[in-house]
Amino acid sequence: ILSYIVWALKIFGCIFLMNFFMKKFFSENRNIDRSVVFKMGMAAAILSALVYSSVYLLDMMYISNEYYEAVISQAIDQMRPFMDKNASNNINEMLSILPKVTFIFNLGYCFIYGTVLSAILSRKFPPKNYFVCGQ
């Protein structure tokens, strides 16, 4: 239950921070359009995704390396009776690229999440020209 609470706090915290910085950016630049606010949100999304993914990669490779190796080896030991030699070799090859795959997945997931959030939140800001539809 605690992990779900932490997950929900993380999601709502991301929404709150994105909303806060988009409002602050708009209040300091009143002559901009909502598309500029959306682009600022996208830039914040890619930069925060890069920082988060890099820290997670460093954690997997250097900081908590022993923890991840222990968890993975325990999972492999439980599955070993059901695997043949080829499956075992393929898993060992996959483990060598796991940090890179995790980095790319986190980067993509966080960027897509931030872009969608930015698109939703930027709709709250008024368009530059109120008489033009579709802005």
Side-chain angles (χ1 to χ4, degrees), residues 3-132:
S3 66
Y4 290 118
I5 293 171
V6 170
W7 176 80
L9 288 174
K10 183 174 74 168
I11 294 295
F12 289 121
C14 290
I15 294 170
F16 174 78
L17 284 174
M18 181 70 87
N19 190 32
F20 174 77
F21 286 115
M22 288 174 81
K23 280 183 181 177
K24 185 175 179 177
F25 180 71
F26 184 75
S27 68
E28 292 175 359
N29 303 297
R30 282 290 183 179
N31 59 345
I32 60 173
D33 198 7
R34 71 169 61 145
S35 65
V36 177
V37 177
F38 169 69
K39 290 176 186 174
M40 188 279 305
M42 272 185 61
I46 191 66
L47 290 174
S48 63
L50 186 62
V51 169
Y52 173 75
S53 299
S54 299
V55 169
Y56 197 80
L57 177 70
L58 288 174
D59 183 46
M60 280 190 79
M61 293 181 74
Y62 301 111
I63 300 170
S64 301
N65 189 23
E66 296 84 21
Y67 170 75
Y68 289 108
E69 286 179 0
V71 168
I72 291 170
S73 67
Q74 182 181 13
I76 290 173
D77 289 342
Q78 289 177 353
M79 296 298 293
R80 196 166 306 280
F82 306 107
M83 294 188 300
D84 61 351
K85 187 170 176 84
N86 289 333
S88 180
N89 289 338
N90 289 338
I91 287 178
N92 289 334
E93 289 177 16
M94 185 181 68
L95 291 178
S96 66
I97 63 168
L98 183 65
K100 296 171 193 169
V101 171
T102 305
F103 173 80
I104 292 170
F105 177 78
N106 278 334
L107 185 68
Y109 171 77
C110 292
F111 175 65
I112 290 170
Y113 175 76
T115 301
V116 170
L117 182 61
S118 177
I120 292 169
L121 293 176
S122 68
R123 301 300 296 169
K124 294 189 326 182
F125 299 101
K128 195 172 193 179
N129 186 350
Y130 293 102
F131 300 106
V132 176

